[in-house]
Amino acid sequence: MTTIEDSEMNTFGPELPAMFDGMKLAAVATVLYIIVRCLNLKSTTSPPEIIHQDTLLSRYLFKSCPMLTKEYIPPLLWGKSGHLQTALYGKMGRVNTPTPCGVRKFLPMQDGATASFDLFEARGDHSTGDDITMVICPGIGNHSEKNYIRTFVDHSQQQGYRCAVLNHLGALPNMELTSPRMFTYGCTWEYEAMVSNIKQAFPQTLLIVFLGEKQSNQDRVLCCVTVCQGYSALRAQETFLQWDQCRRLYNFVLADNMKKLILSHRSSLLGLNSSNICDADLGRLYAATSLMQIDDSIMRKFHGYSSLKEYYEKESCVHYMKNVTVPLLLVNSSDDPLVHQSLLDIPRTLAEKMPNVIFVLTQHGGHLGFFEGAVLLPQPLTWMDKVIVQYTNAMCHWEKNLPACQKSSHHDRNSCLQSTVVTQSG
């Protein structure tokens, strides 16, 4: 019996180690394949795709703002993954985040709400010698204390810009609501109040903004910039229920964050007079697993919309963008996991039809990431931070060199839009 067993072991013995080695190699190869696919390491870097009409202004911009036409190079090991760009932006913010010193302003609204914005003065003269204010609207639910806003403000201050940053209503953790209403996607009441306040406080300043609905907000506006915009909430809601690019998972995470923010103001939303929110609405909020469910049970009721469709339709900027006449820069990334490719047809079509619009589409960058760096560690300033300031610098010099008669008509142009300089939905 022992002889037979020994014979069998001798027969299979040399083959077993080789078989295990093959399994190890296959496992390693599988892991490496997954890593390469997930990190998109085989993807090549390239300059952004730019959709525009051939005008004197576009020619000037491409010469004065070379970052628009140069290759964007993300960090080698992880920067080609839109998911990692998005996650690192959301969790890490910026490397060595600065802490600019500003003054918080409070603005009483007609419905009893208290809007607020932070004002940061320039740390030096602008290269044109003019007084210029960047009017910044962070992404929905964000505020001036977010790392990416602090980094951008610090960079802008160094370039001679005064910065005004809106704090979305209900977004600041230490500021209670004074009316039963929070921020919504397209409500620009607080932003309009901030713009009006800045105009009164600084009558000589020129503005870099994304424009509000009222024509009076257009005075002294030089240009507009928006980054990673979704353009149409009505179209986006369908894509947010899909598992493609893990959007359904992002939807769940964003909904959970929104839920916590709303519940932190539960007493104000329920206790104040004229509130449209009741205990049953909060009950549905607890059970919500998507942004659409939260919007339907809570957000649309702040403004009395009868349905979710009406809410998304009225609060999307897609209907207003065609009325913009000042120079407008739209920036998106192809690997943004939150903005479906079909939504990018909106800015593409707009840029093809309107001579004042330039649509810039990078291959990498994720949702508001746009980190730059050599191999692993990103640089403190992102490509997005630098390109916005470079573009606005170019526009300021363009305006400075315009004949006086053209400047007058420029400031009287009419336009309507629902967002601001750095409109970000992260």
Side-chain angles (χ1 to χ4, degrees), residues 53-64 355 398 406:
Q53 293 190 21
D54 186 16
T55 64
L56 289 176
L57 177 58
S58 63
R59 294 177 189 177
Y60 163 79
L61 283 173
F62 297 147
K63 291 181 180 179
S64 304
W398 170 268
Q406 293 186 29

Side-chain angles (χ1 to χ4, degrees), residues 39 92 95 131 150 152 183 187 198 209 246 282 287 300 305 327 377 390 403-404:
L39 297 182
M92 287 179 50
V95 180
D131 183 305
R150 288 162 50 188
F152 178 74
F183 60 84
C187 179
I198 292 168
V209 301
C246 297
L282 289 181
R300 69 174 177 84
Y305 290 111
L377 295 179
Q390 192 175 93

Side-chain angles (χ1 to χ4, degrees), residues 66-134:
M67 289 190 68
L68 291 176
T69 56
K70 286 187 177 180
E71 183 179 23
Y72 161 55
I73 304 177
L76 179 62
L77 291 184
W78 53 267
K80 296 177 182 179
S81 167
H83 297 291
L84 286 179
Q85 286 258 18
T86 302
L88 290 175
Y89 151 77
K91 295 300 180 183
M92 287 179 50
R94 300 291 190 262
V95 180
N96 300 323
T97 306
T99 54
C101 183
V103 178
R104 182 154 295 168
K105 304 285 187 177
F106 298 95
L107 304 172
M109 307 296 293
Q110 291 184 352
D111 66 344
T114 303
S116 72
F117 70 94
D118 285 17
L119 190 66
F120 304 89
E121 290 293 338
R123 298 207 302 269
D125 295 331
H126 190 268
S127 57
T128 61
D130 292 330
D131 183 305
I132 305 172
T133 303
M134 279 198 181

Side-chain angles (χ1 to χ4, degrees), residues 315-326:
E315 301 227 347
S316 295
C317 67
V318 62
H319 306 295
Y320 303 90
M321 296 174 71
K322 62 181 180 297
N323 299 320
V324 177
T325 58
V326 298

